[in-house]
């Protein structure tokens, strides 16, 4: 009889231990799953909304810049050595980079110099060979460099691609880099009047 009771007690103890182990495994399972849950990622809608906000801010910034009607004028003078000096004025921002070109019409020979606008003015030269400019017709051009190569302060006014430039001097860049401005005028070098239908300035060497 004692042996039967002992066996029954052992069996009950074994069942209790198995039940306890099962409860422990079940209670620990969900906790492990919760720790391994991946972090949530931004939805496509949220990302698109952020991009739209950035684009809208850029558009508003561009709209705040008023168009700049470009004004450029240039004056030429012949030195005693028959080389040319160019001076001019412009309403473009200070530090704007410009290129001055003098071209002889009959041969298309060019002389050029880069400079910048300071206090609304610019100057360059002398232009021409050491022996002096031969008599004949010439064209002087003032070309505003593309916006992408201008200083940041100038870009803020005229635009990275010159999109804020306006007026009759403005045209599209030959290199597809946006808008640029170009001023040109024709003049004659020589002591004798030339027959021409254009209203052109005649330059004579000093002392003649």
């Amino acid at each position: 009889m004692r042996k039967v009771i002992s066996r029954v007690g052992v069996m009950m103890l074994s069942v209790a231990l198995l039940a306890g182990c099962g409860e422990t495994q079940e209670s620990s399972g969900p906790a492990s799953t919760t720790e391994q849950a991946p972090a949530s990622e931004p939805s496509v809608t949220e990302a698109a909304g952020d991009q739209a906000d950035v684009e809208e801010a850029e558009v508003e910034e561009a709209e705040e810049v008023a168009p700049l009607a470009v004004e450029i004028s240039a004056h030429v003078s012949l030195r005693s050595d028959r080389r040319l000096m160019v001076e001019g004025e412009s309403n473009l921002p200070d530090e704007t980079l410009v290129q001055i070109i003098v071209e002889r019409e009959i041969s298309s020979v060019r002389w050029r110099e880069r400079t910048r606008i300071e206090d609304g003015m610019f100057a360059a030269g002398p232009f021409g060979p050491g022996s002096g400019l031969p008599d004949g017709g010439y064209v002087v051009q003032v070309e505003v460099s593309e916006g992408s190569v201008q200083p940041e302060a100038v870009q803020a006014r005229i635009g990275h691609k010159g999109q804020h430039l306006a007026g009759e001097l403005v045209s599209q860049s030959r290199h597809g880099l946006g808008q640029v401005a170009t001023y040109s005028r024709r003049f004659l070098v020589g002591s004798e009047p030339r027959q021409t239908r254009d209203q052109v300035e005649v330059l004579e060497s000093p002392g003649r």
Side-chain angles (χ1 to χ4, degrees), residues 26-93:
E26 290 177 1
S27 61
S28 62
S32 176
T33 304
T34 304
E35 293 176 357
Q36 296 177 0
S40 61
E41 298 180 356
S43 65
V44 175
T45 304
E46 292 176 348
D50 294 341
Q51 181 64 26
D53 292 341
V54 173
E55 293 177 354
E56 183 178 353
E58 291 177 351
V59 171
E60 290 179 354
E61 182 179 356
E63 291 177 349
E64 292 177 357
V65 181
L68 175 61
V70 180
E71 298 177 2
I72 300 175
S73 62
H75 315 282
V76 293
S77 59
L78 200 61
R79 305 195 326 172
S80 58
D81 60 358
R82 293 180 63 87
R83 300 175 74 192
L84 195 74
M85 299 296 298
V86 179
E87 298 178 348
E89 302 175 353
S90 177
N91 65 338
L92 288 164

Side-chain angles (χ1 to χ4, degrees), residues 122-167:
F122 60 88
F127 296 95
S131 58
L133 292 173
D135 288 359
Y138 294 83
V139 175
V140 58
Q141 290 185 339
V142 181
E143 296 183 351
V144 179
S145 301
E146 289 85 355
S148 59
V149 302
Q150 297 287 353
E152 291 185 2
V154 177
Q155 291 187 24
R157 181 64 185 93
I158 71 173
H160 180 69
K161 294 186 177 181
Q163 64 268 28
H164 304 312
L165 298 177

Side-chain angles (χ1 to χ4, degrees), residues 187-205:
F187 62 93
L188 296 173
V189 172
S191 58
E192 298 180 1
R194 308 293 181 184
Q195 294 182 354
T196 177
R197 296 181 181 180
D198 301 333
Q199 291 195 4
V200 60
E201 183 178 3
V202 178
L203 302 179
E204 298 183 10
S205 298

Side-chain angles (χ1 to χ4, degrees), residues 100-183:
I100 315 299
I101 302 173
V102 175
E103 179 178 351
R104 188 183 182 194
E105 291 181 331
I106 194 172
S107 63
S108 298
V109 174
R110 290 185 169 191
W111 300 268
R112 63 183 68 209
E113 181 179 330
R114 295 185 182 275
T115 185
R116 63 184 64 213
I117 295 175
E118 298 287 353
D119 297 327
M121 305 179 68
F122 60 88
F127 296 95
S131 58
L133 292 173
D135 288 359
Y138 294 83
V139 175
V140 58
Q141 290 185 339
V142 181
E143 296 183 351
V144 179
S145 301
E146 289 85 355
S148 59
V149 302
Q150 297 287 353
E152 291 185 2
V154 177
Q155 291 187 24
R157 181 64 185 93
I158 71 173
H160 180 69
K161 294 186 177 181
Q163 64 268 28
H164 304 312
L165 298 177
E168 60 182 10
L169 301 180
V170 177
S171 61
Q172 289 294 320
S173 168
R174 295 188 299 271
H175 309 294
L177 300 177
Q179 293 191 138
V180 294
T182 305
Y183 166 90

